[in-house]
Amino acid sequence: MQTMAALPTGVVEIPATVNPRRKTLASAVGGIVQESGFLYAEKAAMGTLTEMLQSLISEIGRSSKAFCEQAYRTEPVVGDVVMALIDMGISIEGLQAFRLRQNRVVIAAPAQQVDLKQHNVLQVGDKKSHPQHIPDHLPPFPDTHTYCFSHTYKQPVTEYEAIREKAAAQKRDIERALTKFAAKTSDTQNLFFTDDKEFMLVGVTPNSKSYLDALMPRDQVFEEEEERTRTKKRRMVHEEGDPNHEKDRMNETQDAELDNPYLRPVKMPRKPKVKK
Amino acid sequence: MQLEDYNPTIPDAVTAYYLNTSGFEAADGRLVRLISLAAQKFISDITNDALQHCKMRGSQQSSSKTKGKDKRFTLTMEDLTPVLAEYGITVKKPHYYI
């Protein structure tokens, strides 16, 4: 069914929110007009007929309700509707014949539209349920992380087993990392004759007087510091004392400084001999 | 009159809604169908009369030429206005908007 616009040129149709029932009535009118044999219809004619149909239905309803109430009833009956139709001038006899006509256009009732849910693309966490005083038809709570405060730190684990396990894992990791580092930086020895890089051992630095370590047990950290402080005190004493020992002292200090690569004297680049 | 197996062109829900707006609460669904049928017949009578008008106009203008085109009838206000006047409804639509 096609409609011809009756609006003059230049008028732009602004789409307004249309009552869906009105739309259905318009489509029903279109069906009726098509049944009669028309192929096209003017928009003004369609609008007129739709308005007529709506007011007709309302008027029949009002009139039959009035007839019903006039007979001391509240629920309308067939007789009330018949009386209303007669009162309006619509004949009843033609209705039966009209019902049994051949070509009928039936418009399907519009399907119930499902509300498109706004999908939570990112749904993290739970949503709290409504407490008792809030009715269910209200929208649900948002995710708890959006409005509930929670600490960012974790409570420390106090379980003995977990702590032991963590300590053991940490120790293992430290040992592994240290051995790897030592193998890469210092000398390595191979257990097997093949030149693999898998089973490397950290090389042992040979000590000339190996029995000293066995005879004099050393506390690793504190005894080293004591040695350093002793050497510093000796230097201070010798400065006040004989200047003859300066050379010895100088040699000693030089030896100590030479061991430390950062304290070695600067090596100037060799100047090429100018040949004349 | 059996209306259980008859489906009118106007859906029952729409008719029921417009009846409710005027205070008519239909206890039986057949009442709604009866009313929608009556309204449909009313409109159908009007459109049939308008078709007659259109055919009369068409027969006056072209007698033998373009008989294939005569089958395409257009419902215009020119045909509808006198038909509605017969039914007692006066319709006056402006030809142009100022």
Side-chain angles (χ1 to χ4, degrees):
Chain A
M1 193 70 200
Q2 298 180 18
T3 58
M4 280 161 47
L7 291 172
T9 55
V11 176
V12 178
E13 260 188 68
I14 301 164
T17 52
V18 181
N19 192 1
R21 295 185 180 89
R22 190 65 184 236
K23 256 179 146 179
T24 322
L25 271 186
S27 55
V29 166
I32 295 166
V33 167
Q34 195 178 20
E35 264 186 51
S36 307
F38 286 103
L39 202 58
Y40 307 107
E42 265 185 6
K43 196 168 184 178
M46 287 292 292
T48 309
L49 287 175
T50 312
E51 186 65 39
M52 277 172 54
L53 184 60
Q54 182 185 333
S55 53
L56 184 68
I57 293 173
S58 308
E59 180 59 29
I60 293 172
R62 189 205 62 78
S63 179
S64 55
K65 178 78 177 175
F67 272 111
C68 158
E69 284 180 350
Q70 197 186 26
Y72 299 107
R73 279 181 280 110
T74 52
E75 283 190 17
V77 195
V78 182
D80 301 324
V81 177
V82 168
M83 285 294 291
L85 288 174
I86 292 167
D87 197 36
M88 286 177 66
I90 299 168
S91 69
I92 312 293
E93 293 139 6
L95 275 181
Q96 181 77 326
F98 182 74
R99 188 175 83 89
L100 299 168
R101 72 191 186 285
Q102 288 286 314
N103 48 343
R104 281 196 311 219
V105 176
V106 180
I107 295 171
Q112 239 190 359
Q113 266 191 346
V114 180
D115 284 334
L116 292 172
K117 275 188 183 178
Q118 279 184 349
H119 293 285
N120 255 354
V121 178
L122 184 71
Q123 190 156 10
V124 183
D126 317 315
K127 288 189 181 178
K128 276 188 187 174
S129 56
H130 283 283
Q132 277 184 357
H133 64 273
I134 297 176
D136 280 332
H137 60 265
L138 292 174
F141 279 114
D143 296 339
T144 50
H145 67 89
T146 54
Y147 64 96
C148 285
F149 173 75
S150 55
H151 295 284
T152 49
Y153 54 82
K154 251 184 174 179
Q155 287 290 326
V157 183
T158 52
E159 222 183 85
Y160 178 72
E161 291 172 1
I163 291 171
R164 274 295 287 269
E165 209 177 307
K166 273 190 186 177
Q170 201 173 26
K171 186 184 171 192
R172 187 180 57 231
D173 291 336
I174 286 172
E175 282 178 5
R176 197 194 299 165
L178 272 178
T179 48
K180 274 188 182 173
F181 178 69
K184 283 179 185 173
T185 49
S186 58
D187 300 327
T188 55
Q189 285 177 352
N190 251 333
L191 260 182
F192 310 107
F193 290 118
T194 54
D195 205 10
D196 288 335
K197 285 195 177 177
E198 287 182 4
F199 302 103
M200 305 273 270
L201 292 177
V202 178
V204 181
T205 51
N207 204 350
S208 57
K209 300 173 184 173
S210 53
Y211 51 82
L212 279 180
D213 283 337
L215 291 175
M216 296 196 298
R218 295 181 63 176
D219 198 12
Q220 275 188 335
V221 178
F222 298 119
E223 293 215 359
E224 276 183 8
E225 283 186 10
E226 279 181 15
E227 281 191 11
R228 278 184 209 164
T229 50
R230 275 182 207 165
T231 50
K232 277 186 187 174
K233 281 181 186 174
R234 280 179 194 169
R235 283 181 203 173
M236 296 290 287
V237 167
H238 278 296
E239 276 178 12
E240 290 171 8
D242 305 321
N244 295 326
H245 292 283
E246 274 183 3
K247 281 186 186 176
D248 297 333
R249 190 172 48 77
M250 286 291 286
N251 288 329
E252 279 181 21
T253 51
Q254 275 183 3
D255 288 337
E257 283 169 1
L258 280 172
D259 289 337
N260 192 348
Y262 296 104
L263 295 176
R264 284 178 198 162
V266 174
K267 280 185 186 176
M268 295 300 291
R270 287 183 193 174
K271 282 185 183 177
K273 290 183 181 176
V274 179
K275 290 184 179 178
K276 285 186 181 177
Chain B
M1 205 183 289
Q2 290 92 17
L3 285 166
E4 285 89 3
D5 53 351
Y6 180 79
N7 281 326
T9 311
I10 311 166
D12 286 344
V14 176
T15 320
Y17 170 75
Y18 283 114
L19 290 172
N20 284 351
T21 53
S22 53
F24 184 97
E25 182 70 35
D28 200 356
R30 293 177 291 179
L31 276 176
V32 177
R33 291 219 185 106
L34 176 66
I35 291 170
S36 75
L37 182 65
Q40 191 179 337
K41 181 174 178 300
F42 184 74
I43 302 289
S44 175
D45 289 341
I46 290 172
T47 50
N48 282 331
D49 292 345
L51 188 69
Q52 299 300 320
H53 269 255
C54 193
K55 280 183 178 173
M56 280 197 306
R57 198 163 302 171
S59 65
Q60 281 174 8
Q61 287 171 358
S62 65
S63 57
S64 60
K65 287 182 185 178
T66 63
K67 273 196 177 172
K69 201 192 172 184
D70 276 356
K71 287 185 180 176
R72 294 186 195 172
F73 295 112
T74 307
L75 176 64
T76 57
M77 288 304 291
E78 294 170 351
D79 298 327
L80 199 59
T81 315
V83 173
L84 291 175
E86 284 176 24
Y87 276 83
I89 304 164
T90 316
V91 174
K92 278 182 183 175
K93 288 258 175 172
H95 293 281
Y96 50 87
Y97 293 92
I98 299 168

